[in-house]
Amino acid sequence: MNALPRPSTIFLAAITTLVAVLLYSPLFVPIVSSFFTISHGDVDWSSPTLSTYRALAENHDILTALRTTLIVGLCTVVLSVVSGTLLALYYHGRRSGRSILQFIIFLPFLMPPIISGLALLIFFREIGLERSLLTVVIGHTVFVLAIVYRTVLMRLQSMSRTLVEASYDLGATGWQTFWRIILPNLSSAMVGAAILAFALSFDETMITILVTGTQSTLPVRLWAMMRLGFSPDINALVALILMFTVLLCVLAARFLIPRQMATERS
Amino acid sequence: MNQNPDLLTLRSVSKSYGTVAVLHDIDLSIRDGEFLTVLGPSGSGKTTVLRLIGGLEPLTTGDIRLDGQDISRMPINKRPFNTVFQDYALFPHMTVSGNVGYGLSVRHVQRKEIARRVAEALELVQLGRFADRFPAQLSGGQRQRVALARALICRPRLILLDEPLAALDLELRRQMQEFLKSIQREIKTTFLFVTHDQEEAIGMADRICVMQAGHIRQLGTPHELYYKPNCEFVARFFGENNLVAGKLGPVQGEQRPIETALGRLICSITDQPHLKAAPEGASAFAAFRPEALHLADATDGDNRFSGIIADLAFAGSSTVATIKAGADNAAQRLRLRTPSRIGGSALRSGETVALSFAPHEGHLVLA
Ligand SMILES: Nc1ncnc2c1ncn2[C@@H]1O[C@H](COP(=O)(O)OP(=O)(O)O)[C@@H](O)[C@H]1O
Ligand SMILES: [Mg+2]
């Protein structure tokens, strides 16, 4: 299994560990320090405490922003999963127009968010749509659609074409085939895509700042707080978001690993 | 068997994908209750024939008739046929009984009735114990049987099987061949079975339809195909054969001579009117099986020639000799097969021998 001689393996392992520590340790600093108080610019390591979390729970601005974020996230998930799945179903097996469509879908995801945000902002102004949570949801949906579309399409393509043929062959109608064969085989990809879409919507900042009305989502709120100075409850907030995001990603990975592989392992 | 009426008839059916024609003017009748095998090399259009009958592809020209009724335009889910797909196409998210019962449940058959018939079908394919497993938890042979149970539960008029045994190893394939055959006898349903393996075809079929390059070359019983191939392709493709090129001589009753490099060979033309009708001097082949060729003795008058034994190969129950014959004992390569004997073969490598085959064991195919 190991083709390399032993000294170089050790060397490689050391390098990888070093890089990993340098790259990822900043992520854990806020988690650790959120359990300690800061006095005179120094962390007081002597007494762990939950006081930062208590302060966070009393911060109504943040709690409101959190609620807004959740509402936007859920609406975005519903909208993007439904439309992304429909697009994938429609363009699966259809050659004409597909590459153009894919290009358009992927554009907002690949462009710098500030460009996407400005384009949307101008568009909303042209059609006279007031900036509100609705425009935020539309903006987020446009942004995450590529992920949903791609995830569902990939699952569709990995599905054997003969499954659908077998269903018809056994006497099923198109409708029965959709509900009983296609959708169940897509469902785990759709759940995975929904989680990813939610995670992306949750921390989207740039587009949101540009197209939102008076309400702020959590990242926007944080952005505003940071400008006024660093307060300890931000540590707690970052720690919470970090843990939440990790949880989401683990869940998404679970759903996106094909069922076959999962059963083979067990 | 011959009295059985035709179940399904294909009349001048052709199929093109864009400008590429893959089936040319196919005529084929499938009799009610028979086990018909479509045999041909890969790419000859076997799967396409099956997909046209099943309704998975539209015809380009021609029509398909079921009991005399044109069904060419009948949608796939209305046709009383079911398919066993080459990759089985089991629904991965359903259990074995969910898969098998699918054809009934989409027709809104009552739950109780479904459960009863699923149990019955699983019993038939000996998978009763596996009803609650998922396809991923089954072996290849078991999946194969689930696919079969799923196809026959709706009591179709015709079951279409596309190389269903190709993915199985040799031992399992033998078992499944017998198993399929016994099930077909038990449920008395017509089977249309596609394969590229001629041994499989000989072993299972009532009749075989040989395809090549989008044409049907011959349709007949395994015996007819083996002893009366109607063209060079079938003569070469179906079993081992010796073919010697030559020019036809004049018809002599039920026999006809052919002038070849091995001299004048006399072959039978019984029941083959096209060979009677062929003009004198036409190019043809004398064809005789390795087991028909033997060392000549004093009683052999016709079809005598000499050759050198170039090679001897022991193949278990039989021994196969490769023989060089014709001009300078080099022009023509032949095979001779004799039953093996414990004391070793009477043949010696490098020996020059006199050889012969009986006129009624030789036949002709037009070049
Ligand atoms: N969808 C298709 N489009 C174009 N050509 C096809 C298609 N399906 C089959 N063919 C061609 O038709 C020929 C016959 O194919 P097939 O019926 O699958 O042969 P077989 O089953 O005997 O191996 C092949 O040359 C194949 O390349
Ligand atoms: Mg095929």
Side-chain angles (χ1 to χ4, degrees), chain B residues 213-232:
Chain B
H215 294 275
I216 291 186
R217 294 300 180 202
Q218 191 169 5
L219 175 63
T221 63
H223 193 273
E224 281 167 356
L225 259 59
Y226 194 73
Y227 287 113
K228 286 178 189 164
N230 66 1
C231 63
E232 186 188 348

PDB file of all heavy atoms in Angstrom, chain B residues 213-232:
ATOM      1  N   ALA B 213     -25.350  -8.200 -39.020  1.00  0.00           N
ATOM      2  CA  ALA B 213     -25.359  -6.882 -39.648  1.00  0.00           C
ATOM      3  C   ALA B 213     -26.771  -6.391 -39.965  1.00  0.00           C
ATOM      4  O   ALA B 213     -27.020  -5.833 -41.021  1.00  0.00           O
ATOM      5  CB  ALA B 213     -24.516  -6.901 -40.917  1.00  0.00           C
ATOM      6  N   GLY B 214     -27.698  -6.591 -39.035  1.00  0.00           N
ATOM      7  CA  GLY B 214     -29.036  -6.057 -39.231  1.00  0.00           C
ATOM      8  C   GLY B 214     -29.935  -6.875 -40.131  1.00  0.00           C
ATOM      9  O   GLY B 214     -31.031  -6.445 -40.473  1.00  0.00           O
ATOM     10  N   HIS B 215     -29.469  -8.055 -40.550  1.00  0.00           N
ATOM     11  CA  HIS B 215     -30.299  -8.959 -41.350  1.00  0.00           C
ATOM     12  C   HIS B 215     -30.548 -10.242 -40.572  1.00  0.00           C
ATOM     13  O   HIS B 215     -29.696 -10.669 -39.807  1.00  0.00           O
ATOM     14  CB  HIS B 215     -29.594  -9.353 -42.651  1.00  0.00           C
ATOM     15  CG  HIS B 215     -29.396  -8.222 -43.590  1.00  0.00           C
ATOM     16  ND1 HIS B 215     -30.359  -7.809 -44.474  1.00  0.00           N
ATOM     17  CD2 HIS B 215     -28.339  -7.393 -43.776  1.00  0.00           C
ATOM     18  CE1 HIS B 215     -29.909  -6.782 -45.173  1.00  0.00           C
ATOM     19  NE2 HIS B 215     -28.684  -6.500 -44.758  1.00  0.00           N
ATOM     20  N   ILE B 216     -31.702 -10.877 -40.830  1.00  0.00           N
ATOM     21  CA  ILE B 216     -31.901 -12.235 -40.327  1.00  0.00           C
ATOM     22  C   ILE B 216     -31.324 -13.170 -41.362  1.00  0.00           C
ATOM     23  O   ILE B 216     -31.731 -13.163 -42.521  1.00  0.00           O
ATOM     24  CB  ILE B 216     -33.397 -12.525 -40.105  1.00  0.00           C
ATOM     25  CG1 ILE B 216     -33.900 -11.689 -38.933  1.00  0.00           C
ATOM     26  CG2 ILE B 216     -33.618 -14.003 -39.827  1.00  0.00           C
ATOM     27  CD1 ILE B 216     -35.325 -11.993 -38.527  1.00  0.00           C
ATOM     28  N   ARG B 217     -30.329 -13.977 -40.992  1.00  0.00           N
ATOM     29  CA  ARG B 217     -29.700 -14.881 -41.952  1.00  0.00           C
ATOM     30  C   ARG B 217     -30.443 -16.200 -42.055  1.00  0.00           C
ATOM     31  O   ARG B 217     -30.527 -16.786 -43.123  1.00  0.00           O
ATOM     32  CB  ARG B 217     -28.239 -15.126 -41.569  1.00  0.00           C
ATOM     33  CG  ARG B 217     -27.365 -13.907 -41.679  1.00  0.00           C
ATOM     34  CD  ARG B 217     -27.339 -13.373 -43.101  1.00  0.00           C
ATOM     35  NE  ARG B 217     -26.489 -12.181 -43.174  1.00  0.00           N
ATOM     36  CZ  ARG B 217     -26.590 -11.267 -44.129  1.00  0.00           C
ATOM     37  NH1 ARG B 217     -27.505 -11.388 -45.074  1.00  0.00           N
ATOM     38  NH2 ARG B 217     -25.797 -10.220 -44.123  1.00  0.00           N
ATOM     39  N   GLN B 218     -30.905 -16.711 -40.938  1.00  0.00           N
ATOM     40  CA  GLN B 218     -31.628 -17.978 -40.981  1.00  0.00           C
ATOM     41  C   GLN B 218     -32.470 -18.139 -39.729  1.00  0.00           C
ATOM     42  O   GLN B 218     -32.096 -17.679 -38.654  1.00  0.00           O
ATOM     43  CB  GLN B 218     -30.650 -19.166 -41.097  1.00  0.00           C
ATOM     44  CG  GLN B 218     -31.351 -20.469 -41.420  1.00  0.00           C
ATOM     45  CD  GLN B 218     -30.380 -21.582 -41.808  1.00  0.00           C
ATOM     46  OE1 GLN B 218     -29.158 -21.403 -41.745  1.00  0.00           O
ATOM     47  NE2 GLN B 218     -30.916 -22.710 -42.229  1.00  0.00           N
ATOM     48  N   LEU B 219     -33.612 -18.800 -39.903  1.00  0.00           N
ATOM     49  CA  LEU B 219     -34.489 -19.083 -38.771  1.00  0.00           C
ATOM     50  C   LEU B 219     -34.838 -20.559 -38.826  1.00  0.00           C
ATOM     51  O   LEU B 219     -35.330 -21.046 -39.842  1.00  0.00           O
ATOM     52  CB  LEU B 219     -35.758 -18.233 -38.884  1.00  0.00           C
ATOM     53  CG  LEU B 219     -36.855 -18.483 -37.856  1.00  0.00           C
ATOM     54  CD1 LEU B 219     -36.369 -18.163 -36.465  1.00  0.00           C
ATOM     55  CD2 LEU B 219     -38.079 -17.644 -38.173  1.00  0.00           C
ATOM     56  N   GLY B 220     -34.541 -21.286 -37.772  1.00  0.00           N
ATOM     57  CA  GLY B 220     -34.863 -22.709 -37.796  1.00  0.00           C
ATOM     58  C   GLY B 220     -34.535 -23.365 -36.474  1.00  0.00           C
ATOM     59  O   GLY B 220     -34.064 -22.703 -35.539  1.00  0.00           O
ATOM     60  N   THR B 221     -34.781 -24.670 -36.387  1.00  0.00           N
ATOM     61  CA  THR B 221     -34.436 -25.391 -35.167  1.00  0.00           C
ATOM     62  C   THR B 221     -32.918 -25.485 -35.082  1.00  0.00           C
ATOM     63  O   THR B 221     -32.226 -25.343 -36.100  1.00  0.00           O
ATOM     64  CB  THR B 221     -35.008 -26.821 -35.199  1.00  0.00           C
ATOM     65  OG1 THR B 221     -34.401 -27.517 -36.295  1.00  0.00           O
ATOM     66  CG2 THR B 221     -36.516 -26.814 -35.372  1.00  0.00           C
ATOM     67  N   PRO B 222     -32.391 -25.708 -33.891  1.00  0.00           N
ATOM     68  CA  PRO B 222     -30.934 -25.859 -33.774  1.00  0.00           C
ATOM     69  C   PRO B 222     -30.410 -26.933 -34.727  1.00  0.00           C
ATOM     70  O   PRO B 222     -29.360 -26.768 -35.336  1.00  0.00           O
ATOM     71  CB  PRO B 222     -30.750 -26.275 -32.310  1.00  0.00           C
ATOM     72  CG  PRO B 222     -31.917 -25.690 -31.600  1.00  0.00           C
ATOM     73  CD  PRO B 222     -33.055 -25.728 -32.576  1.00  0.00           C
ATOM     74  N   HIS B 223     -31.174 -28.012 -34.868  1.00  0.00           N
ATOM     75  CA  HIS B 223     -30.783 -29.109 -35.747  1.00  0.00           C
ATOM     76  C   HIS B 223     -30.682 -28.641 -37.197  1.00  0.00           C
ATOM     77  O   HIS B 223     -29.710 -28.918 -37.911  1.00  0.00           O
ATOM     78  CB  HIS B 223     -31.805 -30.239 -35.607  1.00  0.00           C
ATOM     79  CG  HIS B 223     -31.355 -31.525 -36.205  1.00  0.00           C
ATOM     80  ND1 HIS B 223     -31.556 -31.825 -37.525  1.00  0.00           N
ATOM     81  CD2 HIS B 223     -30.711 -32.588 -35.668  1.00  0.00           C
ATOM     82  CE1 HIS B 223     -31.063 -33.026 -37.782  1.00  0.00           C
ATOM     83  NE2 HIS B 223     -30.531 -33.507 -36.665  1.00  0.00           N
ATOM     84  N   GLU B 224     -31.688 -27.901 -37.658  1.00  0.00           N
ATOM     85  CA  GLU B 224     -31.676 -27.380 -39.030  1.00  0.00           C
ATOM     86  C   GLU B 224     -30.489 -26.453 -39.262  1.00  0.00           C
ATOM     87  O   GLU B 224     -29.808 -26.521 -40.287  1.00  0.00           O
ATOM     88  CB  GLU B 224     -32.968 -26.606 -39.324  1.00  0.00           C
ATOM     89  CG  GLU B 224     -34.156 -27.490 -39.632  1.00  0.00           C
ATOM     90  CD  GLU B 224     -35.464 -26.719 -39.598  1.00  0.00           C
ATOM     91  OE1 GLU B 224     -35.468 -25.509 -39.254  1.00  0.00           O
ATOM     92  OE2 GLU B 224     -36.490 -27.326 -39.908  1.00  0.00           O
ATOM     93  N   LEU B 225     -30.252 -25.578 -38.282  1.00  0.00           N
ATOM     94  CA  LEU B 225     -29.153 -24.636 -38.440  1.00  0.00           C
ATOM     95  C   LEU B 225     -27.810 -25.349 -38.484  1.00  0.00           C
ATOM     96  O   LEU B 225     -26.908 -24.959 -39.216  1.00  0.00           O
ATOM     97  CB  LEU B 225     -29.153 -23.635 -37.271  1.00  0.00           C
ATOM     98  CG  LEU B 225     -29.749 -22.274 -37.557  1.00  0.00           C
ATOM     99  CD1 LEU B 225     -31.177 -22.389 -38.004  1.00  0.00           C
ATOM    100  CD2 LEU B 225     -29.636 -21.392 -36.340  1.00  0.00           C
ATOM    101  N   TYR B 226     -27.716 -26.415 -37.702  1.00  0.00           N
ATOM    102  CA  TYR B 226     -26.446 -27.128 -37.622  1.00  0.00           C
ATOM    103  C   TYR B 226     -26.191 -27.927 -38.887  1.00  0.00           C
ATOM    104  O   TYR B 226     -25.094 -27.910 -39.439  1.00  0.00           O
ATOM    105  CB  TYR B 226     -26.472 -28.055 -36.403  1.00  0.00           C
ATOM    106  CG  TYR B 226     -25.118 -28.588 -36.003  1.00  0.00           C
ATOM    107  CD1 TYR B 226     -24.191 -27.759 -35.383  1.00  0.00           C
ATOM    108  CD2 TYR B 226     -24.771 -29.912 -36.232  1.00  0.00           C
ATOM    109  CE1 TYR B 226     -22.952 -28.237 -35.003  1.00  0.00           C
ATOM    110  CE2 TYR B 226     -23.533 -30.396 -35.857  1.00  0.00           C
ATOM    111  CZ  TYR B 226     -22.630 -29.551 -35.239  1.00  0.00           C
ATOM    112  OH  TYR B 226     -21.406 -30.034 -34.869  1.00  0.00           O
ATOM    113  N   TYR B 227     -27.221 -28.599 -39.365  1.00  0.00           N
ATOM    114  CA  TYR B 227     -27.000 -29.493 -40.506  1.00  0.00           C
ATOM    115  C   TYR B 227     -27.380 -28.889 -41.846  1.00  0.00           C
ATOM    116  O   TYR B 227     -26.935 -29.376 -42.881  1.00  0.00           O
ATOM    117  CB  TYR B 227     -27.742 -30.816 -40.279  1.00  0.00           C
ATOM    118  CG  TYR B 227     -27.052 -31.649 -39.230  1.00  0.00           C
ATOM    119  CD1 TYR B 227     -27.645 -31.902 -37.997  1.00  0.00           C
ATOM    120  CD2 TYR B 227     -25.776 -32.141 -39.461  1.00  0.00           C
ATOM    121  CE1 TYR B 227     -26.986 -32.635 -37.023  1.00  0.00           C
ATOM    122  CE2 TYR B 227     -25.108 -32.876 -38.497  1.00  0.00           C
ATOM    123  CZ  TYR B 227     -25.708 -33.118 -37.277  1.00  0.00           C
ATOM    124  OH  TYR B 227     -25.044 -33.835 -36.323  1.00  0.00           O
ATOM    125  N   LYS B 228     -28.218 -27.846 -41.858  1.00  0.00           N
ATOM    126  CA  LYS B 228     -28.567 -27.231 -43.135  1.00  0.00           C
ATOM    127  C   LYS B 228     -28.437 -25.713 -43.084  1.00  0.00           C
ATOM    128  O   LYS B 228     -29.416 -24.996 -43.300  1.00  0.00           O
ATOM    129  CB  LYS B 228     -29.994 -27.621 -43.535  1.00  0.00           C
ATOM    130  CG  LYS B 228     -30.072 -29.051 -44.004  1.00  0.00           C
ATOM    131  CD  LYS B 228     -31.480 -29.451 -44.341  1.00  0.00           C
ATOM    132  CE  LYS B 228     -31.511 -30.957 -44.586  1.00  0.00           C
ATOM    133  NZ  LYS B 228     -32.877 -31.491 -44.548  1.00  0.00           N
ATOM    134  N   PRO B 229     -27.261 -25.220 -42.802  1.00  0.00           N
ATOM    135  CA  PRO B 229     -27.100 -23.765 -42.821  1.00  0.00           C
ATOM    136  C   PRO B 229     -27.345 -23.271 -44.243  1.00  0.00           C
ATOM    137  O   PRO B 229     -26.995 -23.959 -45.197  1.00  0.00           O
ATOM    138  CB  PRO B 229     -25.648 -23.567 -42.395  1.00  0.00           C
ATOM    139  CG  PRO B 229     -24.968 -24.836 -42.747  1.00  0.00           C
ATOM    140  CD  PRO B 229     -25.984 -25.920 -42.592  1.00  0.00           C
ATOM    141  N   ASN B 230     -27.972 -22.113 -44.381  1.00  0.00           N
ATOM    142  CA  ASN B 230     -28.332 -21.664 -45.721  1.00  0.00           C
ATOM    143  C   ASN B 230     -27.370 -20.629 -46.281  1.00  0.00           C
ATOM    144  O   ASN B 230     -27.588 -20.088 -47.351  1.00  0.00           O
ATOM    145  CB  ASN B 230     -29.769 -21.142 -45.745  1.00  0.00           C
ATOM    146  CG  ASN B 230     -29.913 -19.880 -44.904  1.00  0.00           C
ATOM    147  OD1 ASN B 230     -28.940 -19.406 -44.322  1.00  0.00           O
ATOM    148  ND2 ASN B 230     -31.122 -19.344 -44.830  1.00  0.00           N
ATOM    149  N   CYS B 231     -26.331 -20.306 -45.523  1.00  0.00           N
ATOM    150  CA  CYS B 231     -25.363 -19.346 -46.060  1.00  0.00           C
ATOM    151  C   CYS B 231     -24.022 -19.538 -45.359  1.00  0.00           C
ATOM    152  O   CYS B 231     -23.942 -20.211 -44.321  1.00  0.00           O
ATOM    153  CB  CYS B 231     -25.861 -17.911 -45.872  1.00  0.00           C
ATOM    154  SG  CYS B 231     -26.049 -17.460 -44.159  1.00  0.00           S
ATOM    155  N   GLU B 232     -23.011 -18.956 -45.936  1.00  0.00           N
ATOM    156  CA  GLU B 232     -21.669 -19.128 -45.402  1.00  0.00           C
ATOM    157  C   GLU B 232     -21.578 -18.624 -43.964  1.00  0.00           C
ATOM    158  O   GLU B 232     -20.948 -19.246 -43.109  1.00  0.00           O
ATOM    159  CB  GLU B 232     -20.666 -18.374 -46.290  1.00  0.00           C
ATOM    160  CG  GLU B 232     -19.217 -18.634 -45.884  1.00  0.00           C
ATOM    161  CD  GLU B 232     -18.233 -17.754 -46.636  1.00  0.00           C
ATOM    162  OE1 GLU B 232     -18.626 -17.115 -47.628  1.00  0.00           O
ATOM    163  OE2 GLU B 232     -17.071 -17.707 -46.214  1.00  0.00           O
TER     164      GLU B 232
END
